[in-house]
């Protein structure tokens, strides 16, 4: 067995430049890709078919020596920076001390400290609790378990374009069939879908009107007395970086509070400084009953959390929540270091600066090219939606061509959206302005030739 070892250090020590020394993918990546095809099922896809040996700042270094600009952060995970030195040091220290006990068997302080940090940082100054898990989907499932146990009700509402994960319950909660659900049913019951506020595509409904439309449907088709929870991404991620109209989230929150329905904010993608606030709910002053976090929480280590009202989390009987690895000590150490950077490293402000650069560039591209129908998002979570200028219909083929052209030039961008016609930008907050601008210039050229 051959394993390519890192040929350079990662983290900020990695030279911050885009440099292609082979085509993408290069010969060494192609070799590993062939092994991947023989060893890994095709259901596990790779967006940019290169294999990485080091990463940091705003770049990914591949096995062929190509240095790519990272505008995806491994889907909003390495927000604090890839191999961020403080995170790496915390991981090394903890790994040398102990790697696992199972928190449900014998405890350790790191788990408690992460819970305290999340209780302090999550919106609202009420008493809170936090339980830790491994993945975003697992945390979403547990938020639903908690809401059902606390309310004694079973129905859950999720929204059009929602993405909540790939496990059975979260597939049911996720809207898009292909590739997430198709062929994988039957799905969990008592999941209902409500219309989202999607300003670019819902005929200009304002936030209050869109909320009334959703609430009427919920009241008529489910009934508040059967509803345990409303689950919503404050800005939808996989669904297309859809920012609901102002007032939509506060109106849903008010209705949920008045009806004893648990409001669960899925901030797995939006959390931890990404949107220019510690959590996206803060932009509209919404205080969710439960908030689900993962992705950016631990600088790349698998960790997720449900944080929220103490009375809700404590409604679950002892032993009702947990898992073998949930709150692994190395992941907790990484999270404490990452959270310290989010709080004290100026990263919320940095996300806003990055957002201003992204917006400025993308708005200019839109002004020059009517195939960009919409530019939206907040902070370092911005997207462009591609359309047929004549009809306004989604143009997924164009988004795919632009993304492929950017990849070939060494810029990692991701597509998303129910219609597949959105390119999203999720740079690590450790990227420098020059590299970010260079990456966006490559995308602009890609659009011009697509
Ligand atoms: C990625 C994501 C999830 C699922 O997280 P996993 O760690 O992949 O299970 C859930 N909700 C949102 C909003 C996400 O972006």
């Amino acid at each position: 067995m051959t394993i390519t070892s890192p040929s350079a250090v990662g983290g900020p020590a990695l030279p911050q430049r885009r440099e292609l020394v082979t085509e993408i993918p290069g010969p060494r990546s192609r070799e590993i890709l062939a092994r991947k095809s023989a060893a890994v099922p095709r259901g596990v896809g790779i967006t940019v078919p290169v294999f990485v040996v080091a990463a940091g700042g705003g770049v990914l270094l591949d096995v062929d020596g190509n240095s790519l600009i990272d505008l995806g952060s491994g889907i909003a995970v390495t927000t604090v920076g890839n191999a961020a030195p403080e995170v790496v040091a915390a991981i090394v220290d903890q790994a040398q001390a102990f790697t696992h006990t199972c928190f449900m068997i014998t405890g350790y302080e790191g788990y408690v400290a992460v819970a305290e940090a999340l209780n302090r940082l999550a919106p609202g100054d009420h008493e809170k609790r936090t339980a830790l898990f491994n993945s975003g989907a697992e945390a979403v499932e547990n938020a639903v378990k908690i809401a059902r146990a606390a309310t004694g009700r079973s129905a859950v509402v999720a929204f059009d374009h929602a993405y909540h994960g790939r496990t059975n319950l979260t597939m049911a909660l996720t809207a898009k069939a292909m590739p997430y659900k198709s062929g994988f049913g039957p799905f969990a019951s008592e999941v209902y879908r409500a219309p989202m506020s999607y300003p670019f595509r819902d005929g200009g409904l304002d936030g209050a009107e869109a909320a009334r439309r959703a609430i009427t449907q919920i009241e008529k088709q489910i009934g508040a007395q059967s509803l345990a929870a409303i689950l919503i991404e404050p800005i939808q991620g996989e669904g297309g970086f859809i920012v609901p109209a102002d007032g939509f989230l506060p109106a849903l929150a008010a209705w949920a509070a008045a009806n004893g329905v648990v409001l669960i904010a899925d901030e797995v993608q939006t959390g931890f400084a990404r949107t220019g606030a510690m959590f996206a709910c803060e932009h509209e002053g919404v205080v969710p009953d439960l908030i689900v976090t993962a992705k950016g929480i631990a600088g790349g280590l698998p960790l997720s959390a449900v944080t929220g009202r103490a009375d809700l989390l404590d409604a679950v009987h002892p032993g009702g929540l947990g898992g073998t690895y949930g709150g692994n000590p190395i992941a907790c150490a990484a999270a404490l270091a990452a959270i310290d950077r989010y709080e004290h490293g100026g990263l919320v402000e940095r996300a806003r600066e990055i957002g201003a650069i992204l917006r400025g560039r993308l708005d200019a591209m839109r002004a020059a090219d009517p195939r960009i129908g919409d530019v939206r998002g907040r902070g370092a979570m911005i997207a462009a939606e591609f359309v047929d200028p004549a009809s306004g219909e989604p143009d997924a083929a164009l988004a795919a061509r632009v993304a492929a052209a950017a990849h070939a030039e060494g810029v990692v961008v991701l597509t998303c959206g129910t219609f597949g016609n959105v390119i999203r930008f999720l740079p690590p907050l450790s990227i420098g302005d020059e590299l970010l601008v260079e990456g966006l210039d490559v995308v602009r050229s890609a659009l011009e030739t697509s």
Side-chain angles (χ1 to χ4, degrees):
M1 184 176 58
T2 42
I3 293 182
T4 306
S5 60
S7 55
V9 282
L14 205 56
Q16 295 297 300
R17 58 161 187 261
R18 178 174 67 105
E19 188 181 36
L20 298 186
V21 296
T22 71
E23 61 182 341
I24 300 290
R28 196 62 197 106
S29 277
R30 273 205 297 273
E31 267 173 52
I32 304 175
L33 208 54
R35 281 165 55 198
K36 184 231 172 219
S37 300
V40 180
R42 63 189 184 133
V44 182
I46 293 186
T47 301
V48 186
V50 300
F51 290 81
V52 169
V53 291
V59 301
L60 300 162
L61 182 68
D62 80 6
V63 283
D64 291 291
N66 298 301
S67 187
L68 293 86
I69 298 178
D70 180 12
L71 300 183
S73 301
I75 320 186
V77 169
T78 53
T79 306
V80 69
N82 213 317
E86 300 84 351
V87 174
V88 172
I91 290 170
V92 170
D93 276 358
Q94 179 57 48
Q96 284 172 341
F98 65 95
T99 51
H100 174 81
T101 67
C102 185
F103 188 74
M104 303 181 302
I105 307 300
T106 53
Y108 38 88
E109 190 177 354
Y111 188 118
V112 179
V114 171
E116 288 168 345
L118 293 177
N119 294 346
R120 179 166 49 76
L121 290 173
D125 47 21
H126 52 285
E127 193 178 346
K128 295 176 208 136
R129 302 279 185 271
T130 289
L132 299 179
F133 305 97
N134 301 292
S135 66
E138 191 188 0
V140 169
E141 293 232 3
N142 277 278
V144 171
K145 281 168 64 173
I146 291 161
R148 284 175 170 164
T151 59
R153 305 170 181 177
S154 53
V156 181
V157 161
F159 287 81
D160 288 334
H161 314 289
Y163 181 85
H164 298 291
R166 295 172 179 268
T167 57
N168 187 264
L169 175 57
T170 58
M171 278 193 292
L173 294 162
T174 290
K176 191 173 176 177
M178 201 61 180
Y180 305 124
K181 304 169 73 163
S182 202
F184 301 138
F187 302 114
S189 61
E190 286 307 305
V191 172
Y192 299 87
R193 199 159 304 286
M196 179 66 181
S197 166
Y198 187 169
F200 183 61
R201 293 201 175 271
D202 66 7
L205 289 185
D206 68 23
E209 290 163 345
R212 206 170 308 121
R213 177 178 66 171
I215 289 166
T216 302
Q217 183 169 319
I218 292 167
E219 286 178 335
K220 298 304 165 204
Q221 297 185 12
I222 310 162
Q225 71 291 340
S226 302
L227 188 58
I230 291 177
L231 169 65
I232 189 160
E233 300 155 86
I235 299 174
Q236 290 183 319
E238 306 303 302
F241 281 27
I242 300 165
V243 185
D246 284 352
F248 179 74
L249 294 172
L252 284 182
W255 182 86
N259 288 278
V261 173
V262 176
L263 182 72
I264 306 172
D266 180 346
E267 293 235 19
V268 169
Q269 192 154 155
T270 51
F272 298 104
R274 174 55 60 185
T275 67
M278 192 60 81
F279 297 105
C281 279
E282 294 168 27
H283 293 292
E284 287 202 84
V286 168
V287 177
D289 299 304
L290 299 176
I291 177 166
V292 180
T293 54
K295 292 199 164 101
I297 190 171
L301 269 73
L303 186 72
S304 63
V306 179
T307 299
R309 276 169 45 195
D311 61 315
L312 298 178
L313 277 118
D314 279 338
V316 178
H317 50 273
L321 301 173
T324 305
Y325 293 111
N328 167 271
I330 300 175
C332 284
L336 290 171
I339 290 168
D340 183 70
R341 299 297 301 151
Y342 291 130
E343 262 198 289
H344 306 297
L347 291 186
V348 171
E349 295 71 28
R350 183 63 190 144
R352 291 196 203 130
E353 289 169 11
I354 287 173
I357 294 173
L358 285 167
R359 269 223 174 255
R361 293 271 157 166
L362 292 170
D363 281 341
M365 280 166 64
R366 180 176 175 225
D369 191 332
R371 296 177 299 169
I372 298 183
D374 195 23
V375 173
R376 57 176 177 257
R378 290 192 203 271
M381 181 174 184
I382 305 281
E385 175 161 351
F386 294 87
V387 297
D388 175 340
S391 64
E393 286 299 306
D395 193 344
L398 176 60
R401 286 199 305 276
V402 173
H407 298 164
E409 290 300 318
V411 177
V412 175
V413 291
L414 312 175
T415 58
C416 65
T418 293
F419 312 106
N421 65 325
V422 177
I423 291 185
R424 56 175 151 175
F425 298 90
L426 290 165
L429 303 182
S430 53
I431 196 170
D433 287 0
E434 275 181 31
L435 214 53
L436 176 62
V437 167
E438 185 182 341
L440 290 167
D441 283 345
V442 167
V443 173
R444 192 192 53 207
S445 309
L447 177 62
E448 284 165 5
T449 54
S450 291

